[in-house]
Amino acid sequence: MQSQTNLNWGIAAAGKITQDFVTALSTIEKSRHVVVAVADVDGSRAQEFAQRNQIPRHYDGFDALALDREVDVVYVGTLNPFHYAVVHLLLSRGKHVLCETPMCLGVDQAKELYALAEQRGVFLMEGMWSRFFPSYERLRELLQSDAIGEVTLVKVQHGFRLAHVERVSNRELGGSIILDLGIYALQLGQFVFGSSPVKILPSGTQLNKDRVDVQTEFILDYGDGRRMVALVTGLENLENDAIIVGTKGEIKLSNYWCCTQLARSNGPPETWPLPRAKFDFHYTNTCGLRYEAEEVRRCIEKRLLESPKFPHAASLEIIAISDEMRRQIGVTFDEF
């Protein structure tokens, strides 16, 4: 049905991830996405971002963005500690919101935001972009059709040299390798096993001088002999694959959190190449942010308040697990 109007986006923060999001939107064929405004705490950065991306309006601070009547939905890509306040402001003004992961630095704040969104009757989603790649739809089909039998093990290794990056290493900025990369392993466990782990066992954790986790290994026990084993690190580059082991075979996801290639044991790989864009991307496969943007559009057109592919309850479950992992390894943030 072609009668729907465009979805007007506002962008909260003029940074690398928000640049990648805007670039990804530009790759959607017959796109009904229009970026109409950008805001940043540094007005000159917002102005520069607007000029580079031909966005008509730019704002110094987020209040004016929240009051812009043309904006339907806002993509929030601020640093982690500011997600709560910015999302709260936007929801209070009746804006739909897509918030970059992690939604908040703790489960209580996230619960409050989801409750506010429901109360205001607006759409809110944490940007767990992995879930919207076509590869995950294919993975769902393979698991449901018993292609590899009963899954007993999910193995993940996820690592980049990030220990020097402020947003990961600085406690005041909500730094944590669990929150930066680990949540993607948690969402895969949730996706594959469809339940919460009964035991959470972190080990081999390394904290930096700011008492922020820069590396951790963990086992999630889902009961009945089903486990996830993961190594997540900011100290070295790893293969960044996930292996899903079943009683009848295996599935390998390359770049599992933004997967464009999936292979079954002894089978040829299936691929979903991403299109080229007018600007280079800052991060791995972030052109794939186009998939979550399309999900947001579909949900808003259907007047849904949450995505069936990543509902509020799924987001809260992952945040609660990451809270518990950080509690066990002694990583806390001052405001909690």
Side-chain angles (χ1 to χ4, degrees):
M1 204 165 77
Q2 283 301 110
S3 61
Q4 286 93 342
T5 54
N6 288 329
L7 186 64
N8 288 342
W9 286 88
I11 304 295
K16 289 180 180 175
I17 193 63
T18 49
Q19 178 59 62
D20 282 2
F21 182 79
V22 171
T23 306
L25 285 183
S26 72
T27 69
I28 300 171
E29 292 164 12
K30 296 181 182 156
S31 173
R32 297 209 297 279
H33 300 268
V34 182
V35 181
V36 296
V38 57
D40 195 274
V41 288
D42 177 344
S44 62
R45 283 184 65 179
Q47 183 176 3
E48 212 176 279
F49 191 98
Q51 285 167 347
R52 184 168 60 249
N53 295 287
Q54 299 173 309
I55 298 167
R57 292 187 294 290
H58 54 86
Y59 299 118
D60 186 350
F62 303 115
D63 282 307
L65 180 66
L67 290 168
D68 186 324
R69 291 188 172 187
E70 271 191 51
V71 171
D72 302 314
V73 56
V74 178
Y75 174 60
V76 175
T78 62
L79 289 164
N80 293 350
F82 310 113
H83 286 180
Y84 171 79
V86 175
V87 173
H88 195 284
L89 168 71
L90 294 164
L91 296 174
S92 301
R93 301 271 165 79
K95 300 300 184 198
H96 303 296
V97 175
L98 169 63
C99 181
E100 191 45 66
T101 57
M103 174 70 82
C104 293
L105 295 180
V107 75
D108 291 341
Q109 282 191 342
K111 280 179 180 169
E112 202 182 313
L113 292 180
Y114 286 128
L116 177 60
E118 285 169 22
Q119 183 192 328
R120 294 305 308 257
V122 289
F123 177 85
L124 173 61
M125 187 173 86
E126 182 179 21
M128 194 59 77
W129 62 315
S130 317
R131 292 286 171 96
F132 309 107
F133 276 73
S135 55
Y136 270 66
E137 202 46 58
R138 178 66 176 137
L139 175 59
R140 187 193 304 277
E141 287 169 11
L142 290 170
L143 294 174
Q144 286 178 346
S145 66
D146 205 36
I148 58 165
E150 192 184 338
V151 176
T152 55
L153 178 64
V154 177
K155 294 186 287 191
V156 168
Q157 49 165 332
H158 197 170
F160 289 104
R161 292 186 193 279
L162 294 171
H164 63 288
V165 177
E166 284 279 290
R167 69 180 164 80
V168 180
S169 61
N170 185 328
R171 195 153 62 99
E172 285 184 8
L173 299 181
S176 159
I177 203 69
I178 291 171
L179 291 182
D180 199 73
L181 301 182
I183 53 171
Y184 293 117
L186 299 183
Q187 71 79 27
L188 182 62
Q190 182 188 64
F191 186 86
V192 171
F193 293 121
S195 61
S196 277
V198 293
K199 271 193 208 142
I200 299 165
L201 304 161
S203 65
T205 300
Q206 287 191 43
L207 305 184
N208 67 9
K209 62 181 189 313
D210 209 15
R211 294 202 57 76
V212 164
D213 52 301
V214 290
Q215 175 168 299
T216 190
E217 296 177 67
F218 56 87
I219 295 171
L220 299 184
D221 182 347
Y222 289 87
D224 301 321
R226 301 172 307 155
R227 288 178 309 149
M228 160 172 273
V229 179
L231 166 62
V232 180
T233 183
L235 302 177
E236 58 181 320
N237 295 320
L238 297 177
E239 286 292 310
N240 300 330
D241 295 336
I243 311 281
I244 300 165
V245 181
T247 50
K248 299 193 304 200
E250 297 182 358
I251 297 170
K252 178 181 180 180
L253 304 177
S254 303
N255 288 325
Y256 77 95
W257 80 106
C258 51
C259 175
T260 57
Q261 180 172 300
L262 170 158
R264 278 187 277 176
S265 29
N266 309 321
E270 298 177 52
T271 59
W272 297 265
L274 289 162
R276 294 183 67 86
K278 61 179 177 181
F279 295 129
D280 290 337
F281 290 94
H282 294 95
Y283 304 108
T284 309
N285 288 351
T286 37
C287 186
L289 291 166
R290 67 206 297 272
Y291 300 127
E292 73 172 5
E294 278 287 83
E295 175 69 7
V296 170
R297 182 183 62 75
R298 279 191 293 269
C299 290
I300 290 172
E301 283 181 358
K302 290 178 181 171
R303 294 190 164 81
L304 300 178
L305 300 186
E306 58 187 332
S307 164
K309 291 185 177 181
F310 193 62
H312 297 171
S315 165
L316 289 170
E317 182 177 279
I318 290 169
I319 297 168
I321 296 168
S322 64
D323 279 3
E324 172 58 19
M325 287 172 71
R326 287 190 297 103
R327 187 193 67 75
Q328 288 189 34
I329 64 177
V331 174
T332 57
F333 301 115
D334 294 340
E335 59 269 42
F336 298 104

